[in-house]
Amino acid sequence: MIISAALLGVIAVILAWPFPLVLARSDWPARSPDVALVLWQTIALSGGMSMIGSLLLYGLVPFGNALPQSVIFLGDSLRSGTLPADTRFTHVLALGAAILLSTHLLLNLFATFVRAERQRRRHYTLIALLSDPLNGQPGMRVIDHPAPVAYCLPGAGHSATVLSKGLLRLLDADQVRAVIAHERAHLVQQHHLVLLAFKSWHSALPWFPIANRAENAVALLVEMIADDRARRDVDDRTLATAIALVGLGQQPEVLAAASDGESDEPWISSPERALVAPRVYRLMNQALPLSRLATMAVFVTAIALALAPAIVLLRA
């Protein structure tokens, strides 16, 4: 069992530092954001399983050589109030850390979803009171605000896409269509659930640098996925112009800088640069998606990462 604990520890370290670091610095996720999103979710799930599993197996070493036997022996020891003679402080510490970490992650995930749902319901109530329906567009609400604003309010019972009058005045008909298609893609594909999961991971482990990097990377990927859905309705330049106008209130001339790859131009300032600039650059340069072979390789990697911790635990 000690070998299995060490193996899970190695997997946890790889998925906590070098693997996600390389992925975050790669260029290919922008070419196939849906594929990259699957890989990020696998990293988060497998990394958590490996970390908790490594601590759990090491903590159970004094209780037996197999996981089921060790769990039964642990229960007997807790009922009798005695521990095996070879139990060390590090074993107790590891076992307690595994229990506390898994409980902390689950409770934080539950709290994050409850808090988000409460805020969404309150927001939806306000929007229903302060907005008007958009003619001919079911589920669309228009708020009286001069700034260009567009966002969606997901929900199991009811959802809405919110636009501002400032946006409708600023964009032409095709650009408005692009924005609506983008926001509806978020609703249909339930992107808020993915974002909440990674937000929960980051808030549960704020000291963990990869959690922050993963949350930022996933936020950009879901925007690109929604962009790809909107590209079915409008051309890339129209969508890129709408993104720049809505995200930054800029004029279409800024697209020239993006199309030339001048990403250091001051037309976008942080933090907007993180989500807007890569999307505009991607649309203006029209990079080809991953090949079928490369996509298959990524999916095989994701499956291997997902199965590795489970196999090690089952064989422990």
Side-chain angles (χ1 to χ4, degrees):
M1 190 177 291
I2 188 69
I3 296 177
S4 298
L7 184 57
L8 285 176
V10 171
I11 296 175
V13 170
I14 292 174
L15 294 181
W17 177 53
F19 198 97
L21 194 62
V22 171
L23 179 59
R25 292 179 177 177
S26 300
D27 294 329
W28 71 262
R31 297 167 56 190
S32 296
D34 50 346
V35 177
L37 182 60
V38 171
L39 192 55
W40 271 114
Q41 293 178 88
T42 305
I43 289 172
L45 180 62
S46 298
M49 287 178 58
S50 299
M51 186 187 306
I52 295 171
S54 178
L55 293 170
L56 178 64
L57 291 184
Y58 180 75
L60 291 175
V61 165
F63 298 91
N65 296 322
L67 182 58
Q69 173 192 350
S70 299
V71 173
I72 295 174
F73 194 3
L74 174 62
D76 294 338
S77 298
L78 292 176
R79 283 191 294 269
S80 63
T82 60
L83 295 175
D86 57 344
T87 302
R88 300 177 182 176
F89 173 74
T90 53
H91 295 138
V92 178
L93 184 64
L95 193 57
I99 296 173
L100 288 176
L101 180 58
S102 56
T103 303
H104 174 61
L105 290 175
L106 290 175
L107 288 179
N108 193 78
L109 180 64
F110 177 75
T112 300
F113 274 81
V114 170
R115 188 163 51 246
E117 178 62 18
R118 186 183 302 119
Q119 293 173 350
R120 188 203 64 80
R121 292 189 180 209
R122 187 183 305 117
H123 195 161
Y124 187 88
T125 301
L126 291 174
I127 288 297
L129 292 173
L130 302 176
S131 66
D132 300 313
L134 183 63
N135 292 334
Q137 296 285 352
M140 307 293 301
R141 308 292 299 185
V142 179
I143 57 174
D144 188 5
H145 196 281
V149 175
Y151 61 91
C152 59
L153 280 174
H158 41 250
S159 59
T161 299
V162 182
L163 308 177
S164 68
K165 289 185 177 179
L167 178 140
L168 296 176
R169 286 192 293 265
L170 181 64
L171 305 185
D172 62 29
D174 287 339
Q175 292 164 357
V176 171
R177 192 153 49 92
V179 171
I180 292 174
H182 175 96
E183 297 302 333
R184 281 181 172 169
H186 284 316
L187 293 175
V188 171
Q189 300 179 26
Q190 301 288 298
H191 289 159
H192 65 288
L193 298 179
V194 179
L195 293 174
L196 281 176
F198 278 87
K199 180 181 180 180
S200 169
W201 183 28
H202 183 204
S203 63
L205 305 173
W207 46 268
F208 198 40
I210 294 303
N212 177 53
R213 189 182 294 272
E215 184 182 10
N216 293 334
V218 168
L220 178 58
L221 289 174
V222 298
E223 292 299 326
M224 289 181 174
I225 292 172
D227 289 341
D228 286 344
R229 174 58 188 84
R231 294 167 85 178
R232 302 178 190 176
D233 296 343
V234 298
D235 62 85
D236 288 356
R237 187 172 186 86
T238 298
L239 178 59
T241 304
I243 292 171
L245 290 171
V246 175
L248 305 165
Q250 298 287 344
Q251 296 303 314
E253 287 77 6
V254 302
L255 298 177
S259 62
D260 292 337
E262 299 175 7
S263 58
D264 292 331
E265 291 294 316
W267 63 277
I268 302 178
S269 59
S270 182
E272 288 83 359
R273 182 192 297 268
L275 290 181
V276 177
R279 294 166 58 200
V280 173
Y281 179 81
R282 172 177 181 257
L283 292 168
M284 298 305 295
N285 288 273
Q286 299 180 344
L288 294 176
L290 290 180
S291 66
R292 182 174 299 180
L293 182 61
T295 300
M296 186 178 301
V298 174
F299 280 129
V300 169
T301 301
I303 293 172
L305 290 176
L307 292 178
I311 292 174
V312 174
L313 284 169
L314 290 175
R315 295 177 63 88

